[in-house]
Amino acid sequence: MPRIPFPELPDHGRVWIFPASRRLDDGERAGLLAEVDAFLDGWAAHGAPLRSGRELLDGHFLAVGVDEDASRPSGCSIDALVNRLEVLAHGMGVRLVDHAPVWYREGDEVRVASREEFRARARDGVVDASTRVFDTSLTRLVDLRRSGLERPARESWHGKAFFSPK
């Protein structure tokens, strides 16, 4: 079986982060993870099984990782993953494959805003460079493990995009 526990994937592995447009409830989380597991059990690139794993972070962020030393994912295999997630998300009434919004923490809650809304909140002082944001653009497991998905905006691309002097 090519699917392995997410923590067993090597640091140099590839990762994709799929942010849910809202927090998933317990049933949705269980259903999503079961469906993703079933997909990963058969995930292959040009017939070669992909050694992969998944983890759900903060009830919002699905991380799917691959050990590229075992087999490298192909464009078609990545498309198959994205397409499967789009179908699953549609059935749950959420978006999973949309990296345009900004996810950030407000108190204990994870919030989502369009980039324009987040920019307006920054301009109004509602959010600032110390606001904790979620960097869904990570592509290496080592970066996810070292810095985490959540960090102050100043330590992510968000700092340059929203808080740099113009």
Side-chain angles (χ1 to χ4, degrees):
M1 176 167 74
R3 181 173 51 89
I4 63 171
F6 192 81
E8 292 180 19
L9 289 167
D11 280 348
H12 60 271
R14 175 85 161 83
V15 69
W16 294 267
I17 308 293
F18 298 97
S21 55
R22 63 171 169 74
R23 185 171 189 80
L24 303 177
D25 67 33
D26 290 343
E28 290 171 324
R29 286 193 296 265
L32 174 66
L33 292 176
E35 291 288 339
V36 170
D37 286 349
F39 176 85
L40 295 180
D41 284 341
W43 197 23
H46 304 293
L50 293 171
R51 190 167 183 255
S52 59
R54 57 75 184 154
E55 193 162 299
L56 190 63
L57 309 168
D58 228 328
H60 276 272
F61 306 96
L62 175 66
V64 175
V66 171
D67 177 357
E68 292 180 311
D69 288 344
S71 277
R72 289 194 177 273
S74 64
C76 292
S77 65
I78 296 166
D79 286 348
L81 171 64
V82 169
N83 290 338
R84 182 66 185 131
L85 291 176
E86 285 178 331
V87 169
L88 292 172
H90 179 74
M92 295 186 317
V94 299
R95 288 183 319 276
L96 273 175
V97 187
D98 184 1
H99 289 83
V102 174
W103 283 265
Y104 65 100
R105 188 168 298 280
E106 187 176 273
D108 291 336
E109 295 295 316
V110 174
R111 304 282 185 203
V112 62
S114 70
R115 291 183 187 209
E116 295 77 22
E117 291 167 335
F118 194 80
R119 186 170 283 110
R121 290 179 180 149
R123 187 178 48 248
D124 295 342
V126 176
V127 296
D128 60 29
S130 66
T131 298
R132 300 197 59 84
V133 296
F134 295 85
D135 187 356
T136 62
S137 69
L138 299 176
T139 60
R140 291 276 156 231
L141 281 163
V142 68
D143 296 326
L144 177 61
R145 291 173 176 157
R146 184 183 305 140
S147 304
L149 188 62
E150 180 180 354
R151 64 187 73 142
R154 75 173 63 78
E155 296 175 16
S156 177
W157 65 265
H158 302 79
K160 200 176 278 188
F162 299 106
F163 303 106
S164 289
K166 301 287 178 198

